Amino acid sequence: MVVNDNGVRSRYDVMVVGEYYFDLIFRGLPEVPKISADLWAEEFEWVPGAAYSTALGFARLGTSAGWWCQFGTDIFSRMIVDQARSENIDDRLFIHLDRPLRRVSAAFSFAHDRGFISYAEEPDPLPTPEDLARIRPRILLLQGFSLDDERRRLIEAARSLGITVCSDCQHVDYRLSTPGMEEMLGLIDVFLPNASEAKALTGEDDVERALSSIARFCPTVVIKCGADGAIAASKGRTTRMPALAVAVFDTTGAGDSFNAGFVHGLLTEPDIEGAIELGVICGSLAVTGYGGRNLPFKEDLTQYRRREPRYSLRSQENK
């Protein structure tokens, strides 16, 4: 048990809400796949993906985290559950169905980026406000994003319980002008899109302008910028954190890995800059192996921290 910020005993510091995917990763392709072309990859591997990478990050960092996820009787679900248990990922929030629940992604991975072809039989239901009240984490991490009433009720319940809400974006087809978007961003404490998602959401072609646009509605916005690290706006300040200089092997799962490091930092660091640095460390190391397998353990973090972190701060009011 842990004690949350309101003095209430809880099972977890973090509750991760997100689906699993069974990732098939193809590397060394001569070009991006296209219709009528038969391509041969130089390398292939399978890895547990999506929210698994975040749950793995928390397990390795020693963060008390539960992963709310459904699994079926199919081979993909069984292999993911077995892998999770072998990595000491807490399984008490796993939901086991008496039917198949296949979620598969084929990833074509390049050094600069990756793409997916995915299949899922059905989406996971969100926990109810009653579930949240029972579990009472300090932080609720939503790996997806939508504007539906079910998600709004969950976020509002979290706020009423004093739970910090962090949300990824996950390539949704929304714009800031979409009805309800600005209000939903205002309910979230930390929004975690990547650069392409932030640009699509705002219609901006520059990540700093996209950050400024989103920060008008959400208290803390952290944009994951791949090889350029991350940029964030919080409490009127902008923070930039460069990525580690690493040899990129596979970028699959880098954003999910960043989320784990960042949220771990929210719990352990004295300021947002420290949390961003831990996110960048986890995201950077994740790309040095297949699908986040090279995520660090807690004892590894020190060697990657900068003695004098290169923070560049400026007031949003001066932009």
Side-chain angles (χ1 to χ4, degrees):
M1 288 285 186
V2 296
V3 179
N4 67 20
D5 293 338
N6 294 322
V8 177
R9 294 180 68 81
S10 167
R11 289 190 189 182
Y12 304 107
D13 279 327
V14 183
M15 182 180 182
V16 182
V17 178
E19 301 169 341
Y20 89 83
Y21 270 84
F22 190 98
D23 287 348
L24 309 170
I25 302 177
F26 299 85
R27 290 187 71 249
L29 292 169
E31 60 181 336
V32 176
K34 59 185 178 183
I35 298 297
S36 78
D38 293 334
L39 302 179
W40 291 92
E42 295 178 358
E43 298 179 36
F44 167 80
E45 186 58 277
W46 77 269
V47 295
Y52 175 95
S53 298
T54 308
L56 175 62
F58 285 132
R60 291 191 176 182
L61 293 171
T63 307
S64 173
W67 177 20
W68 182 278
C69 183
Q70 283 190 337
F71 299 93
T73 57
D74 56 280
I75 184 63
F76 305 119
S77 291
R78 296 201 306 270
M79 290 177 73
I80 297 291
V81 169
D82 289 346
Q83 191 74 17
R85 289 172 175 162
S86 73
E87 287 280 0
N88 296 315
I89 293 173
D90 190 295
D91 64 358
R92 287 175 292 173
L93 298 186
F94 288 7
I95 302 166
H96 298 279
L97 305 178
D98 191 24
R99 64 177 187 276
L101 184 61
R102 297 173 296 173
R103 296 196 184 100
V104 184
S105 282
F108 41 99
S109 178
F110 297 88
H112 64 284
D113 208 343
R114 79 285 182 272
F116 291 100
I117 300 172
S118 300
Y119 171 80
E121 290 185 310
E122 61 182 81
D124 269 3
L126 292 172
T128 65
E130 292 74 24
D131 292 322
L132 196 62
R134 172 175 53 86
I135 297 166
R136 288 287 184 107
R138 294 174 63 188
I139 295 177
L140 174 66
L141 175 56
L142 302 172
Q143 290 292 87
F145 184 89
S146 71
L147 297 177
D148 60 85
D149 291 338
E150 181 186 17
R151 185 170 299 264
R152 179 184 296 274
R153 286 192 295 269
L154 179 64
I155 293 172
E156 290 174 341
R159 293 179 66 88
S160 70
L161 293 168
I163 297 170
T164 299
V165 180
C166 301
S167 177
D168 207 315
C169 186
Q170 301 287 353
H171 295 285
V172 294
D173 293 325
Y174 297 130
R175 301 293 181 268
L176 284 181
S177 59
T178 301
M181 186 66 191
E182 295 178 4
E183 184 181 356
M184 183 68 84
L185 286 174
L187 294 174
I188 295 168
D189 295 291
V190 183
F191 188 48
L192 295 155
N194 64 31
S196 62
E197 291 163 346
K199 291 177 183 178
L201 183 64
T202 61
E204 299 284 0
D205 58 5
D206 176 81
V207 71
E208 291 195 33
R209 289 198 296 270
L211 176 68
S212 180
S213 294
I214 301 170
R216 289 186 292 127
F217 308 105
C218 186
T220 297
V221 181
V222 182
I223 299 179
K224 296 165 282 191
C225 301
D228 293 324
I231 185 170
S234 181
K235 297 180 180 179
R237 300 193 304 173
T238 298
T239 302
R240 299 174 188 77
M241 187 67 64
L244 299 182
V246 298
V248 177
F249 182 83
D250 171 36
T251 57
T252 308
D256 299 310
S257 301
F258 177 101
N259 291 352
F262 174 79
V263 172
H264 175 78
L266 287 182
L267 293 164
T268 60
E269 293 293 307
D271 50 40
I272 191 74
E273 291 83 7
I276 296 167
E277 183 179 24
L278 295 189
V280 166
I281 290 171
C282 289
S284 296
L285 295 179
V287 305
T288 64
Y290 274 116
R293 285 183 175 175
N294 287 1
L295 271 161
F297 290 85
K298 185 177 181 179
E299 57 268 26
D300 300 325
L301 293 176
T302 302
Q303 64 180 301
Y304 296 105
R305 302 204 70 165
R306 301 171 176 92
R307 292 185 180 221
E308 296 181 8
R310 290 172 289 172
Y311 304 135
S312 176
L313 306 176
R314 58 180 176 154
S315 169
Q316 290 284 324
E317 296 176 353
N318 294 331
K319 295 178 71 174

